[in-house]
Amino acid sequence: MEHQIINKTILSILVILSFTLSSCFKDNEEDLYPDGGTCNTENVSFSQTIWPVINNNCVSCHSGAGANAGIRLGSYSEFVEAIDGGRLLGAIKHESGFSAMPQGGAQLNNCSISQIEAWIAQGKLNN
Ligand code: HEC
């Protein structure tokens, strides 16, 4: 009898522990290392790396005639124009004095922001 109670207690502690631990590990992995522990900022490709992020997070509000704040991000040249306009990096980095983007959504992950900065430093190539 006593053994059973102790066993059940140990079991429930283990179950709770494993849930807590696994959720912690998941949080860390996804937030800090969205692509499995590395963030490749070498020779960043616009079409492979930058465009999917912008298309998924920004274009719905920033394309066509009704684009918010008059900022269009619907193509390579519009995206470059927005960067050259000087408001884009501050907005995605949530710097003070800028409207935080994507509006109403989670901030882009650190890796995506680093890759955008690296791509700019590498010459904003349409690659
Ligand atoms: C849900 C709609 C929505 C999404 C998604 C969105 N924006 Fe915006 N964006 C807005 C609105 C509305 C404004 C004008 C807000 C303001 O000026 O306060 C704006 C303003 C901006 C500005 C000007 C900011 C400033 O401070 O001058 C930039 C740059 C910008 N957005 C870039 C982006 C980028 C890059 C993304 C994707 C990472 C994005 N937006 C996603 C709605 C959106």
Side-chain angles (χ1 to χ4, degrees), residues 3-17:
H3 272 294
Q4 259 181 347
I5 292 171
I6 292 171
N7 281 345
K8 272 187 187 160
T9 310
I10 291 174
L11 194 71
S12 36
I13 288 172
L14 281 180
V15 168
I16 291 167
L17 253 183

Side-chain angles (χ1 to χ4, degrees), residues 62-76:
H62 287 285
S63 64
N68 279 302
I71 290 180
R72 273 178 268 285
L73 303 171
S75 66
Y76 164 79

